[in-house]
Amino acid sequence: MPCGPRREDLWNIAPTLAGVGARLSPEQLRLRVADSTRVNPDTPMPAYYRTEGFNQVAAAFRGKPLLSAQQVEDVVAWLATLKEQQ
């Protein structure tokens, strides 16, 4: 009997992005990219624009978001184009 997760379950940690631009507004997408814990506190997705509330952050990275404001906007713009379900 195999031990551990099934191979097909290893990448199934988040919903598909297919059609996300049709399901969510740019504002909803931005919130999820910037700090998805505000929508779901148990999400495994990192907060790409939050700068506080983290543990064990290296000094060089304290107070700095993972993405700049422009990068967040670029991700949101791309996600908004994903209109079709696959």
Side-chain angles (χ1 to χ4, degrees):
M1 173 177 260
C3 186
R6 297 178 307 170
R7 175 178 226 147
E8 58 269 19
D9 291 337
L10 290 176
W11 302 107
N12 191 17
I13 61 171
T16 179
L17 294 177
V20 72
R23 290 191 311 272
L24 300 174
S25 70
E27 293 78 17
Q28 291 170 315
L29 291 168
R30 187 174 299 106
L31 176 61
R32 283 162 173 79
V33 172
D35 186 0
S36 59
T37 62
R38 294 182 61 198
V39 177
N40 176 3
D42 298 323
T43 184
M45 183 174 160
Y48 289 100
Y49 200 68
R50 189 175 77 201
T51 59
E52 297 177 358
F54 297 110
N55 296 314
Q56 300 179 347
V57 177
F61 298 103
R62 284 189 197 125
K64 297 178 183 176
L66 292 174
L67 297 179
S68 70
Q70 183 59 58
Q71 289 170 320
V72 169
E73 292 305 313
D74 292 344
V75 171
V76 168
W78 175 73
L79 290 171
T81 70
L82 303 179
K83 303 281 186 185
E84 293 184 27
Q85 298 287 337
Q86 292 183 10

